[in-house]
Each structure stands twice: as C-alpha cells, then as structure tokens.
Amino acid sequence: MGHPESIEKEVKYSLMMNFSRYNIVKMQKEARSLPAKIRSLVFVFLLRVFVVILAMCVIIGSYSAFGGYLGIISKSPDIEGVFESNKDFEKYSTFLFYSNGEKMEKELSSAGANRIKADIRTIPEGVRNCFVAMEDERFYEHSGIDVRGIFRAAYSVFKERSLDYGASTITQQLLKNLVFKGGKESSPIDKIIRKVQEQYLAVQLEYRLDKDTILEYYLNTINLGNGAYGIEKAAQVYFGKSASELTISEAAVLAPIAWSPTLANPLKDQDKNSRRRKDCLKNLYENGFCTEEEYLIALADSEDVYLRIQEQNQTKLDSTNTYNSYFVDALINQVIADLKTAGYSSNEAYDMLYSGGLQIYTTQDQEIQAIMDSYFTNEANFPAVGKGSYYQLSERYALSLVSTSGIAAHYHLKDFINYFKDYKDTRKIYYHEKGKGNTGISSYTLDKDDLEDKLDEFIEAMKQAFRTAHPGEEFNVQESRSISLQPQCAMVIINPATGEVVAQYGGRGEKVGNRVLDRASGTYRQAGSTFKVVASFLPALDAAGFTLASTFDDSYYIYPGTVNTTVDNWYSDEFRGLQPIREGIYNSLNIVAVRCIEKVGPRTSVDYLQKLGFKHIVTDNNKTNDYNYSIALGGLTTGCSVLEMTGAYSAIANQGVYVEPRYYTYVLDHDGKLLLNNDMHYTQVMKTSTAYLLTSAMIDTTTIGTGTKCRFQSLNIPVAGKTGTAHDNVDLWFVGFTPYYCAAIWSGYDDNLPQTDNNYYRVMWRNVMEDVHKIKGCEPKQFVRPSSIVSATVCTKCGKLAVPGVCDKTPDESCMRTEIFAKGTVPYETCTCHEKVTMCKDSGCRATEYCPNTEERVYLIKVETELAKEHGGTKDTKYIMTPEEDKECPLHTEPPTPSPTPSPDPTLPPAEP
C-alpha cells in the first residue's frame, strides 16, 4: 500500500485534471468571483507599472549614458589641434657637427627626444608591415577602432578581471602616446574615460589623415628601448644603419619592443624578444604581408640578427663616451645663453636644445681635440703620486646623520681631520695644509685606498656616537665624498683669426659626468704673471707713449698708497736695476710691471682688460674692486678663466683684433632653417704695431726667457708666450701662440694649495701644440711684421738712441741693442745715462792731464733712492760712479818734474864717434 500523503496528492491531481462539464462550470464560477477579479486586476496593474518603470529606466539610462559619453568626448582635446597642442612627436635629438662638417657621435636629447624623423616613403614596405602585423593587423581595414578587437578585449577583461587588455589600434596607440602621456592612469575610471576619448579621437583622426601619415607619426614616436624613440633612431642604435636599410628580419626584432621597451628589449631579454619576433613573422605571413620565401629567410636569420645587435652595441660602447665632453658642456652653455638673448625663455631654450632636433655646427676640430684628450687622460704626463701629485679629499666633504624624527648631526672635513689627529702616520702618507690665505684646510694623501678606509672608519664612529646619543632613533646616512688627483689641469686652444675654440679640456684624467666642474671655462683663478702683458705693458705701449726700450728701475719698491707692502720678484738674487719693458716681459719682472702700471693707471688697464674679454673684472666703486696696482701681477677679486686668457692673448696673435671666443658657427632648426648665426664679434683693441711689439718680446720668453721649455723642439715655427705664477705656486700658467693657434694651460689644486712641480704643464703645452701643428700640416711661418714697425739702435738703460763707443763699452755687457718701434715712437735723444770717463789707474779717480796711467771707463748716470740703498741697491750700483771716484786725481795735479841727465862714468872708455 502506498503512503497516505501520496494517495491524497494523487486524488487532488485527479480532481484538478478532471475536465468534466461539472468541474468546468465550477471553475468558471470561481473565476468570476470578486476575490479572483481583484487578484487579477492587481497583477495586471503591477505588471504595467513594472514595464513602465523598466522602460523609463532604459530611457533614462540610455540618455544618461549618452550624456556621459558626450560629456567625456566633449573634454577630449580638439582634433584640429591635437598635434599642435602637444609637441611630443616633434621631440628630436639635437645633432652636433665638427668644424669640418662631420657629424659627432654625441647627440643631445631629453627623455623621449632621442629620435630622428624618417619619411614613410623611405621606410621599406616590409618593415612597415612588421609593425602593422604585430600591433594592428587590420590597420588598413578599420576606421580608427577595431570592433573585433574590442570584443576580444572585453572577453579578456571579464575573464582576467583586469583592464590591461586594450584592443588599441595603431591610431589609438599614437593618440595614447602623444595626447594621453602614455595612458598611465591611476584608477580604472580614469582608464575607461581615456579609452572612450581615445576611440573617439581615433575615428576623428582617421577621418582627417590618411593611413600612411598616421603610420609615419606612429613609427617616428614609439619608444623602442635603449633611449631610442622612433624607427630611424632604433635602426641606428640596434643595427648601426638607417631605417631605409632595415630587413624584414631586423624589423621583426624592433616591432615587439613597442609592446614593452623593457621586457621585450633584445639587449636585456633576448629570449622574450625572440619569441615575440616569431609571432610577428607568423602574423606577417598569415596576413599576406610577405611571401613565403621572405618569411623563411627571416626565420633563418634568427641567430645572426641578435649577433649583429650585440656587435653594434659593443661598437657603440667602445666608441662613445657616456658623458658629454668638456667642449660640449661649454657649447651647451653658449647656445643656451644665445637662445635666451634671442628672446627665448630659459625653459624654452633648454627644450629647443634637448628636444628640438637642432643641428649645431661647432668649431671643434676633431683631430686637435683627440690630441688634447690623449695627453690629459694619460697620467704619465702629470707629476707622479708623491712627486708633485696627491689624492685629495675635497674641503667640501660632508657627512650628515638624520633621524626620522628630525634629529641631525653634521660633520665636515675638519671633523674628519680632528678625529685622526692622534693617528701615527708612520708611512708619512697624509698631509694637511691650509689653503691660500688660510681660508680652508685640505687633506691629501699618497694612498687613496687607505684614505677610503679612514673615511669608512670615521663614518662608523660617527654612527656609533649618534646611536649612543640618541638610542632607538632610526637614521639615514648622507655623505658627499670627493677624492681626486691633484693638481688639476685645463687647456683651451683657439684659432685667433676667427675666435673659434678648436679644443678644450677641463680637468685631469677621464671626465666622469655631465656638467661637472670645468676648469677651462667654468672656474676663475688668479692670473699671476700672465697679466703683466695684458694689464700693464699692453696699455703702456698702446696708449701711454712707452716703447719696448722704455726702462723702469727694478729696485726695492713699495706698492703706491701703502706703508710697507713690498712688491717682490719671483727670483731671489739682487735687484736688477734699470730694465727695459722687453726684458720685463721675457724675464717676467714684477717690479717693472707694477712701476709701469703706476704710470699707466689702473683704470686704463681695466678698460683694456674688459675689451679683451675678461668679464669678471670688478669695477663697482662701492665695493672692493680691481682698480689697483696689483692687477699688473694678476691680483684679481674674482680671477679669470683659461678661456678668457686664451681669448685675450689671441687678440695679440691676431694683430690686435679681439674676436670673442665661440664654440659654434651657426645652428639650424629641425626644418633646416637658420636659428642662430654666431658671426664673429670682433674689436680692434690695440694697434697692429702694439700687437707685433708684444709678440716680438714674447718670442724672447720662449727663446731666452722664463718659457724656454715651451719652445717647439722639432718644428721651425716661432712660439710667443708668457709664463704665469700666482703666489706660492698656487696657480701656474702658460699662454702662448704661433702664427696658427693660441693656447693657454693652467695647473693648480682645486683647494688652492702650493704646487711643487712647476714645469710639467709647460712641457704638456709644448707637446700638445707641437703635435697639433704636425697633424694639421702647418708649414714654417713667421709672424707678419706690419709696415708700421721700424728699427733703431738704443741704449738698454735709458731707452734713448745709443752712442757708439759708449753704450757698447759698459763694464758688464753691451747696453747697445737694436730694438723695434712703432713709427713715430723712435726716441730722438741720444743716451743720457752713460758717461765715458778717463780714469787714473793709480788713484782710481778722474784723470787729470798729468796722470801717466789712464783708462777709459763707462759709468752709469743714475740716482738710487736711499730706500733702495738700504736694501742693498741693485746690479746697477757698482756701475755708478762713487763720490770718491768722481774726484779729480789727487796724485797727479802738476806736470811731472824732469829727471836730471846723469854724468858719464869715467871708468868707461869713451864712446866711438
């Protein structure tokens, strides 16, 4: 028997399914009953309300979505100005060219600007299709958006729960990179908004530009890794060739990089790039973009193509310095300054230089720069460590310990030195000296590694002291450590006729960064004796009526306006007495230079210096200024640069015409139009005759004077120049020129310490310049003597016309010399400083007519000051007639008495007749 409940259900079911007439009538009555009608009406009403609400929601939602869509696209950039308002696609590398027009390896570019524009017509079709096959295989079919791709991406989004799947066409990628800054949104909402705008603009862009133009923009702007933006730059970086020369195999390497310049970079992850390269070639073939033969050839090149990339990368590493040269750093400064002068703001100038695709034609001579580089990067050309060179810890050393709560402890060089004050330096490798004027203290050593260890020990000690003083505090360590070989050195070579800087080096050894300290054009040092020529003797000859024969007394001398500040000579022997300007130049006589500027006047001197390009001469009367006599010896408030010194002496080499030093001749913009024209800016600072007079005297510097080490050894080319030494050998200079080039070299410690080797830099100047003249094929040539120069024979002690038989008969040496003069300056008086006197040999006084033993002597007529006498006089002193000598001979005042005739000796036989 069945279960009672199941039996009951079966009975009810049977009754419900009973369609007998009785049962049907019964059901009709129940349906017409009032409760049933009410239930039916309510159900219908609710159904209608639901339908209306649903329809309203759909309508409102649709309008809202459409309104939101309109709101989103209304905020999209105006398609008419998309490329005008965003210039990212116009960012291109700036190219530099040597003076002969050859392109340099080094380029200037900012982030995203390391690109070279390629015309779509020059890019092989197979290369273009590689990118199309990899990034947007239906590029030539859609109108900016790929509907199939969108559905595929939508499926991936729901499956992976990520918005990283884009379905972006090439047109959308172009817009993302140029307009939406790469699409790096921080929130999903922002990403959706960008996608909507991107798709809208893509359709608009496709309507306005043809496919080739869009593809050209894309290929010129994509980031292809290793700092290469655009296909042309990428072709050069990876394969050392132009994009027009790329093969399908090579393009298939580049196309995957667009997906991820880091993850698909062939130099960083060859395996991943190789897998995607195969996908690219497969898509290329399956979409009919290449033949089967081309496909198979490209596949067969899978190993060789990466080998070529590695070889090209190694070649680039071997041939290219990571950092800008000192020359390029100085070039950047000049171009930026000239752009600002032309009306550009500072930001605009920098943007143009680093991303404007400029072409800068520099003045740098590749051959000359290579010679200079080879000498400055070879330690054999500098003093050896321990024999003039040391490793120096900069006086700017700093150590800071800063806790998260703001507690800080700061330490400097003096703290480091004090920490090791009791250190027993048994190896005698450490030295601590105060700089010039006791302005600072420096630490230098013979052992760099030991110094590094000492610094590490010092840091650990300071850290422990900080922990003890502030237990529990977390802190960071910040250190500024600079150890460099000293002394440093810098050099500049200029073509005097054009002002073109052909080579420059700003430090010792390899350059270790961009925009680092450039001692050639970016630092200012005391000029020393090099200023004697430009500050004292030049204005004296050019404007004060002096000549090379004009003399000044090299004797004990105190600076005018001071009580006891003496002018000291660089040599230690006695004062030399009356000296002509010529000798003041080639023997670098301090007292002669200062006495000369005393006659000329410091203001006249400063006027000339400013015309010669020294830009940091202080002339403010309300401050300490350079209107002083010490300027004759290079005593400057600020100092001068090696570049300024070279430019000033170039004016002498260029017959008195100063040409402002320049690092470039002209700059073209990205379209090849002239942007900057750096014409020569020149000034006739001195007479042509003055320039030749100075040149003549400075030739003596290298032949018989203080600069003989700078004279060429194997070339018959004259060198004119001037040595320079600041106090205590802190700054050492030589600046000189030939009929072809002018160069200045400087040596010194960054922290102004004395130097012990005062010759190496002169030898380096000579070697560099001699090699330069050899490699440039410079023929033997003399300086051009202008027609305004004449000659005359003068007395070297007074500068007047010599008296033969007097001036050439002086006791020490002949004082008669043939000198050159500017026309109109030849003296018309004869020598008044020498006197030929007949002296009695017996008494040593002036001879009388009765003196039997006499000789002619030539005396110097000169009155020496009492101050000079108190300090030993001069070399002239012994040639000046003394008061005793100036007396008449006391022994022979009367005629001698004749001796009586002796009587004949009677014992002798008489003489024969």
Side-chain angles (χ1 to χ4, degrees):
M1 293 182 63
H3 195 278
E5 291 182 0
S6 61
I7 296 175
E8 184 180 355
K9 288 180 179 179
E10 290 178 4
V11 171
K12 288 183 178 180
Y13 180 75
S14 299
L15 291 173
M16 289 176 61
M17 299 302 293
N18 185 0
F19 293 103
S20 62
R21 180 178 179 184
Y22 172 79
N23 201 42
I24 291 173
V25 171
K26 183 179 178 181
M27 287 189 294
Q28 288 177 340
K29 288 181 179 180
E30 289 177 353
R32 287 195 293 268
S33 67
L34 182 60
K37 288 182 178 180
I38 292 174
R39 288 196 300 273
S40 177
L41 288 173
V42 171
F43 175 76
V44 171
F45 175 76
L46 291 176
L47 180 62
R48 288 175 177 174
V49 170
F50 173 76
V51 171
V52 171
I53 292 174
L54 180 62
M56 290 179 65
C57 288
V58 170
I59 294 173
I60 293 172
S62 298
Y63 272 103
S64 297
F66 184 67
Y69 173 76
L70 291 179
I72 291 173
I73 65 173
S74 68
K75 295 180 181 179
S76 301
D78 181 8
I79 193 63
E80 298 293 344
V82 165
F83 296 106
E84 288 74 14
S85 62
N86 191 307
K87 296 295 183 181
D88 281 354
F89 77 102
E90 291 291 354
K91 289 184 176 181
Y92 296 104
S93 299
T94 287
F95 298 114
L96 310 177
F97 299 86
Y98 292 110
S99 58
N100 63 358
E102 182 181 341
K103 182 175 171 292
M104 293 185 190
E105 287 285 341
K106 191 65 182 177
E107 300 169 6
L108 303 179
S109 60
S110 60
N114 191 18
R115 62 166 59 90
I116 305 171
K117 187 175 182 180
D119 192 307
I120 191 69
R121 294 169 294 184
T122 67
I123 303 174
E125 184 178 10
V127 174
R128 286 179 268 163
N129 288 335
C130 281
F131 286 87
V132 172
M134 194 68 188
E135 293 296 318
D136 186 3
E137 60 190 32
R138 287 178 290 278
F139 173 69
Y140 292 106
E141 301 171 12
H142 61 66
S143 298
I145 56 176
D146 184 2
V147 177
R148 288 168 57 185
I150 291 175
F151 281 111
R152 184 182 69 248
Y155 173 75
S156 298
V157 167
F158 284 109
K159 182 179 179 181
E160 302 293 337
R161 298 291 190 270
S162 172
L163 292 175
D164 291 336
Y165 296 88
S168 293
T169 63
I170 282 178
T171 311
Q172 288 177 253
Q173 291 182 48
L174 176 65
L175 290 165
K176 180 180 72 173
N177 291 334
L178 300 187
V179 180
F180 298 103
K181 307 301 181 185
K184 297 177 181 178
E185 293 82 11
S186 58
S187 70
I189 298 299
D190 291 338
K191 184 170 287 190
I192 292 172
I193 291 173
R194 188 259 301 167
K195 274 289 185 182
V196 172
Q197 294 178 337
E198 186 183 282
Q199 292 174 354
Y200 168 73
L201 291 178
V203 175
Q204 299 297 313
L205 191 62
E206 292 260 2
Y207 178 74
R208 288 164 173 78
L209 301 178
D210 60 58
K211 292 288 185 179
D212 279 351
T213 302
I214 292 173
L215 187 58
E216 180 180 282
Y217 279 136
Y218 173 77
L219 292 176
N220 277 307
T221 55
I222 50 174
N223 182 357
L224 292 175
N226 277 61
Y229 287 80
I231 190 170
E232 179 66 28
K233 189 64 183 180
Q236 294 182 6
V237 167
Y238 293 106
F239 298 104
K241 59 171 67 174
S242 171
S244 62
E245 301 172 314
L246 288 174
T247 65
I248 290 177
S249 173
E250 293 165 342
V253 173
L254 301 180
I257 306 176
W259 167 69
S260 174
T262 302
L263 298 179
N265 191 312
L267 289 172
K268 297 179 179 179
D269 194 336
Q270 180 177 318
D271 291 339
K272 183 168 290 186
N273 181 274
S274 179
R275 290 194 297 271
R276 293 187 66 83
R277 175 179 178 274
K278 291 177 181 178
D279 292 339
C280 175
L281 291 173
K282 180 181 177 182
N283 290 349
L284 191 73
Y285 175 62
E286 291 179 349
N287 285 279
F289 289 134
C290 72
T291 65
E292 183 178 5
E293 181 182 6
E294 290 173 327
Y295 171 65
L296 293 176
I297 291 174
L299 278 180
D301 190 41
S302 296
E303 293 185 7
D304 289 345
V305 70
Y306 289 104
L307 182 61
R308 295 198 297 275
I309 290 174
Q310 295 295 337
E311 290 175 348
Q312 168 61 21
N313 185 56
Q314 189 59 48
T315 299
K316 186 174 182 181
L317 291 174
D318 293 341
S319 62
T320 305
N321 194 320
T322 306
Y323 305 112
N324 295 337
S325 66
Y326 287 107
F327 182 96
V328 171
D329 280 353
L331 168 72
I332 290 171
N333 292 337
Q334 189 170 82
V335 172
I336 290 292
D338 289 349
L339 285 171
K340 291 165 71 174
T341 300
Y344 296 94
S345 68
S346 181
N347 288 337
E348 290 172 336
Y350 275 94
D351 286 343
M352 290 186 72
L353 182 64
Y354 286 101
S355 59
L358 307 182
Q359 300 173 54
I360 303 177
Y361 288 82
T362 76
T363 60
Q364 187 178 36
D365 187 298
Q366 186 176 11
E367 292 179 321
I368 297 178
Q369 186 66 62
I371 291 172
M372 188 181 288
D373 292 350
S374 69
Y375 276 94
F376 273 79
T377 55
N378 184 354
E379 274 302 311
N381 297 311
F382 294 90
V385 174
K387 297 181 179 180
S389 286
Y390 301 88
Y391 291 101
Q392 183 180 35
L393 176 61
S394 173
E395 65 178 1
R396 291 175 288 278
Y397 174 79
L399 171 68
S400 295
L401 308 179
V402 182
S403 73
T404 54
S405 62
I407 302 173
H410 303 288
Y411 305 95
H412 302 282
L413 178 63
K414 63 180 181 180
D415 301 302
F416 170 74
I417 293 175
N418 287 336
Y419 179 79
F420 287 104
K421 64 182 179 180
D422 296 325
Y423 170 66
K424 302 301 182 183
D425 183 17
T426 57
R427 295 167 57 199
K428 299 187 182 302
I429 61 172
Y430 283 97
Y431 305 83
H432 306 300
E433 280 199 31
K434 289 188 176 181
K436 184 179 179 182
N438 295 331
T439 56
I441 187 167
S442 291
S443 176
Y444 53 104
T445 179
L446 303 179
D447 191 332
K448 182 181 179 182
D449 292 337
D450 195 66
L451 178 58
E452 295 275 12
D453 293 341
K454 290 287 185 296
L455 285 167
D456 293 340
E457 179 183 339
F458 173 68
I459 293 173
E460 287 303 318
M462 297 306 102
K463 287 165 63 176
Q464 185 58 45
F466 192 91
R467 294 188 189 99
T468 302
H470 310 286
E473 288 280 351
E474 297 291 331
F475 60 90
N476 295 318
V477 179
Q478 300 171 357
E479 184 194 23
S480 176
R481 178 188 300 190
S482 176
I483 299 174
S484 59
L485 262 178
Q486 301 286 335
Q488 287 289 325
C489 193
M491 188 175 185
V492 174
I493 303 178
I494 287 178
N495 181 338
T498 62
E500 296 177 356
V501 180
V502 297
Q504 175 171 313
Y505 211 90
R508 177 178 180 173
E510 295 283 354
K511 191 167 182 279
V512 294
N514 288 327
R515 314 304 293 277
V516 296
L517 181 65
D518 179 6
R519 300 165 186 85
S521 60
T523 60
Y524 301 90
R525 306 290 300 212
Q526 293 304 301
S529 296
T530 55
F531 252 43
K532 289 173 184 171
V533 172
V534 291
S536 181
F537 299 130
L538 187 159
L541 298 176
D542 200 62
F546 291 94
T547 71
L548 286 179
S550 299
T551 60
F552 294 91
D553 195 15
D554 179 30
S555 60
Y556 183 83
Y557 182 65
I558 296 175
Y559 276 109
T562 69
V563 177
N564 55 7
T565 305
T566 59
V567 180
D568 299 318
N569 277 320
W570 58 268
Y571 50 86
S572 58
D573 58 353
E574 62 183 323
F575 296 104
R576 298 184 180 183
L578 293 171
Q579 299 289 303
I581 285 180
R582 176 181 286 274
E583 193 155 341
I585 292 174
Y586 73 71
N587 271 337
S588 195
L589 305 179
N590 293 352
I591 295 172
V592 171
V594 178
R595 286 188 185 273
C596 183
I597 201 173
E598 183 183 7
K599 299 293 184 183
V600 172
R603 290 188 177 273
T604 301
S605 176
V606 165
D607 289 343
Y608 272 92
L609 291 172
Q610 290 178 320
K611 291 176 183 177
L612 287 170
F614 292 103
K615 302 186 186 321
H616 294 81
I617 303 295
V618 179
T619 58
D620 189 344
N621 289 322
N622 296 322
K623 300 179 180 179
T624 301
N625 56 53
D626 289 322
Y627 291 127
N628 54 70
Y629 299 107
S630 63
I631 198 172
L633 305 182
L636 298 169
T637 304
T638 303
C640 68
S641 69
V642 181
L643 176 68
E644 289 176 337
M645 187 71 76
T646 315
Y649 272 77
S650 290
I652 303 173
N654 192 34
Q655 301 181 9
V657 179
Y658 171 75
V659 183
E660 186 174 350
R662 52 186 181 146
Y663 291 91
Y664 72 96
T665 51
Y666 61 93
V667 178
L668 303 179
D669 65 15
H670 184 250
D671 297 321
K673 297 178 181 178
L674 185 65
L675 179 64
L676 292 174
N677 188 18
N678 197 15
D679 287 332
M680 290 192 298
H681 301 288
Y682 56 88
T683 306
Q684 184 79 43
V685 176
M686 71 201 85
K687 305 181 188 75
T688 304
S689 57
T690 302
Y692 187 78
L693 294 174
L694 292 171
T695 299
S696 174
M698 286 192 287
I699 291 176
D700 287 349
T701 299
T702 62
T703 54
I704 59 174
T706 57
T708 54
K709 288 185 179 296
C710 301
R711 185 180 183 181
F712 289 168
Q713 293 184 321
S714 60
L715 294 178
N716 186 24
I717 296 176
V719 174
K722 183 70 188 73
T723 55
T725 304
H727 183 65
D728 288 338
N729 288 345
V730 168
D731 295 286
L732 300 174
W733 295 80
F734 182 77
V735 54
F737 53 88
T738 69
Y740 297 96
Y741 297 103
C742 180
I745 192 169
W746 164 88
S747 173
Y749 278 77
D750 288 333
D751 294 338
N752 298 324
L753 296 177
Q755 300 174 77
T756 57
D757 187 333
N758 58 1
N759 284 316
Y760 86 91
Y761 66 99
R762 300 181 189 181
V763 175
M764 187 183 293
W765 187 98
R766 182 196 66 213
N767 291 341
V768 170
M769 288 290 278
E770 195 159 11
D771 285 356
V772 164
H773 285 71
K774 287 178 182 177
I775 201 169
K776 302 310 291 185
C778 298
E779 297 292 333
K781 181 180 180 181
Q782 299 299 312
F783 292 103
V784 177
R785 176 169 171 160
S787 58
S788 56
I789 294 294
V790 296
S791 300
T793 303
V794 297
C795 172
T796 60
K797 286 297 182 180
C798 64
K800 299 178 181 179
L801 294 176
V803 177
V806 177
C807 298
D808 57 342
K809 300 297 183 181
T810 51
D812 55 340
E813 59 183 14
S814 174
C815 290
M816 192 164 69
R817 175 190 296 167
T818 298
E819 187 56 272
I820 57 174
F821 297 85
K823 281 184 178 179
T825 65
V826 177
Y828 54 86
E829 291 182 289
T830 57
C831 173
T832 56
C833 69
H834 284 112
E835 177 186 16
K836 180 185 281 189
V837 182
T838 302
M839 303 295 290
C840 176
K841 287 185 176 182
D842 298 328
S843 66
C845 299
R846 286 180 179 268
T848 66
E849 57 181 315
Y850 307 113
C851 291
N853 298 313
T854 63
E855 64 178 351
E856 289 188 336
R857 297 180 192 171
V858 176
Y859 284 94
L860 180 64
I861 303 173
K862 176 188 176 185
V863 177
E864 292 193 328
T865 65
E866 292 300 321
L867 195 58
K869 293 177 182 178
E870 290 175 8
H871 290 83
T874 68
K875 285 186 176 181
D876 289 340
T877 305
K878 57 186 175 182
Y879 305 117
I880 301 173
M881 183 176 284
T882 65
E884 289 74 18
E885 291 175 316
D886 198 23
K887 296 177 181 178
E888 191 174 80
C889 175
L891 302 179
H892 309 101
T893 57
E894 296 179 357
T897 303
S899 299
T901 302
S903 302
D905 188 346
T907 63
L908 294 176
E912 296 182 2

